[in-house]
Amino acid sequence: MANIKSAKKRVLVAKRNTERNVAFKSSIKTAVKKALSLVKGDKNELEAAISKVYQLCDKAVGKGILHKNTAARKKSRLTKAINKLSK
């Protein structure tokens, strides 16, 4: 543990940010799983789920939680998987 007051504060801030980032990444994973489960269902629900995943990924990039290439890869893999499953 740090001895300097500002370093102690940074540890607390880093912990808080890590918890927020983990929660946000978890929500992206959940949205991806939901989208994949809707492949055989209603097309409108599937489109809404895909849109939600894209929105979450783009928001994560804006907040600095994900790198832009990571978000692009996630979106690409999701689209590829949905196209493969829908055939």
Side-chain angles (χ1 to χ4, degrees):
M1 186 68 184
N3 292 326
I4 298 170
K5 187 175 183 181
S6 62
K8 289 179 182 178
K9 288 180 183 178
R10 295 307 307 162
V11 168
L12 295 175
V13 169
K15 183 178 181 214
R16 186 184 68 218
N17 289 343
T18 300
E19 290 172 357
R20 184 173 54 229
N21 293 348
V22 167
F24 204 96
K25 287 179 184 180
S26 177
S27 68
I28 292 173
K29 291 176 192 173
T30 304
V32 168
K33 289 177 188 174
K34 181 179 179 188
L36 289 174
S37 70
L38 292 172
V39 170
K40 299 295 181 187
D42 185 31
K43 289 288 184 187
N44 291 333
E45 289 181 20
L46 178 62
E47 291 297 325
I50 293 172
S51 177
K52 181 69 172 174
V53 172
Y54 279 31
Q55 177 189 8
L56 287 173
C57 286
D58 292 338
K59 191 177 283 191
V61 170
K63 291 176 180 279
I65 296 170
L66 291 180
H67 190 272
K68 63 178 182 165
N69 292 352
T70 304
R73 184 180 67 241
K74 284 184 181 295
K75 293 190 287 188
S76 175
R77 287 181 180 173
L78 173 65
T79 305
K80 196 172 180 180
I82 288 174
N83 289 339
K84 185 176 180 181
L85 290 173
S86 63
K87 285 185 180 177

